[in-house]
């Protein structure tokens, strides 16, 4: 194998290690804040290089006694295969990880806002609610927030910048959720 081909292949493998490590860690820990992406970027690249490089050494050492050129080529092919496989698996899991991330951010930021809106509405009598619901405000509030949190459409609307108060009072899907929770707790 020519040295230029070898160096280019190694450069390609380093470049493949970057997205493989980053995506793998990001899909495993989607709640990681953006401020730590640089650490994931560096740590993921190093971790991917160590793990995949270690796996690639197996065919290299097995074939090294027979033919050193073939052993090096198989080791590099093995590294390429595992790095591409890590990217493929992480890319497949990426959308689900981002849904988890959105729900996590909803629970951190929007849950207190919605709780405040719901409690204010119940206390002011803005909506006519049965007595059992007024007595169980916390459970009713939890029901609505939980249902909103598990609605992909509503999370998407909030991510696009829709006002939570406007969403709570005017969105038809939230009205369905409120009706569902009223039926659930009015018994």
């Amino acid at each position: 194998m020519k040295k230029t081909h070898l160096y280019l292949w190694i450069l390609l493998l380093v470049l493949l290690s970057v997205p493989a490590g980053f995506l793998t860690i990001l899909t495993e820990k989607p709640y990681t804040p953006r401020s730590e992406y640089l650490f994931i970027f560096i740590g993921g690249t190093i971790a991917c290089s160590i793990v995949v490089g270690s796996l690639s050494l197996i065919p290299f050492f097995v074939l090294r006694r027979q033919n050193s050129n073939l052993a090096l080529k198989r080791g590099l092919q093995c590294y390429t295969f595992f790095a591409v496989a890590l990217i493929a698996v992480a890319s497949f899991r990426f959308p689900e990880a981002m849904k988890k991330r959105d729900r996590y951010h909803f629970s951190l930021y929007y849950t207190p806002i919605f709780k405040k809106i719901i409690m204010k509405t119940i206390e002011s009598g803005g909506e006519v609610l049965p007595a059992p619901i007024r007595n169980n405000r916390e459970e009713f509030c939890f029901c609505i927030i939980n249902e909103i949190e598990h609605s992909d459409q509503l999370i998407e609307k909030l991510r696009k910048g829709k006002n939570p108060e406007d969403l709570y009072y005017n969105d038809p899907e939230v009205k369905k959720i409120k009706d569902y929770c009223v039926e659930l707790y009015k018994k």
Side-chain angles (χ1 to χ4, degrees), residues 30-31 95-112 145-156 158-159 173:
Y31 314 122
E96 186 62 34
M98 290 302 102
K99 283 183 183 178
K100 286 180 185 176
R101 179 183 176 83
D102 288 343
R103 285 188 174 88
Y104 176 72
H105 285 291
F106 175 87
S107 67
L108 284 180
Y109 179 71
Y110 288 110
T111 297
I145 291 171
N146 191 40
E147 292 296 320
I148 291 173
E149 186 176 340
H150 287 81
S151 172
D152 292 334
Q153 294 171 346
L154 293 175
I155 296 289
E156 186 67 29
L158 287 169
R159 190 164 24 129
E173 192 168 334

Side-chain angles (χ1 to χ4, degrees), residues 155-166:
I155 296 289
E156 186 67 29
K157 288 178 185 177
L158 287 169
R159 190 164 24 129
K160 288 181 179 176
K162 187 152 185 179
N163 182 1
E165 200 163 340
D166 183 46

Side-chain angles (χ1 to χ4, degrees), residues 39-120:
F39 297 115
I40 291 176
F41 186 77
I42 294 168
T45 302
I46 292 170
C48 178
S49 299
I50 291 171
V51 171
V52 173
S54 299
L55 290 172
S56 301
L57 288 176
I58 296 170
F60 175 76
F61 284 127
V62 169
L63 297 173
R64 183 177 66 178
R65 293 183 186 167
Q66 297 170 357
N67 185 352
S68 63
N69 261 352
L70 180 65
L72 181 61
K73 187 175 181 180
R74 294 297 181 243
L76 292 173
Q77 286 173 342
C78 185
Y79 192 106
T80 305
F81 171 77
F82 284 122
V84 169
L86 277 174
I87 292 171
V89 168
S91 297
F92 179 73
R93 296 174 54 200
F94 188 75
E96 186 62 34
M98 290 302 102
K99 283 183 183 178
K100 286 180 185 176
R101 179 183 176 83
D102 288 343
R103 285 188 174 88
Y104 176 72
H105 285 291
F106 175 87
S107 67
L108 284 180
Y109 179 71
Y110 288 110
T111 297
I113 293 171
F114 276 107
K115 186 172 183 174
K116 182 179 171 186
I117 292 169
I118 294 167
M119 290 302 191
K120 183 177 80 173

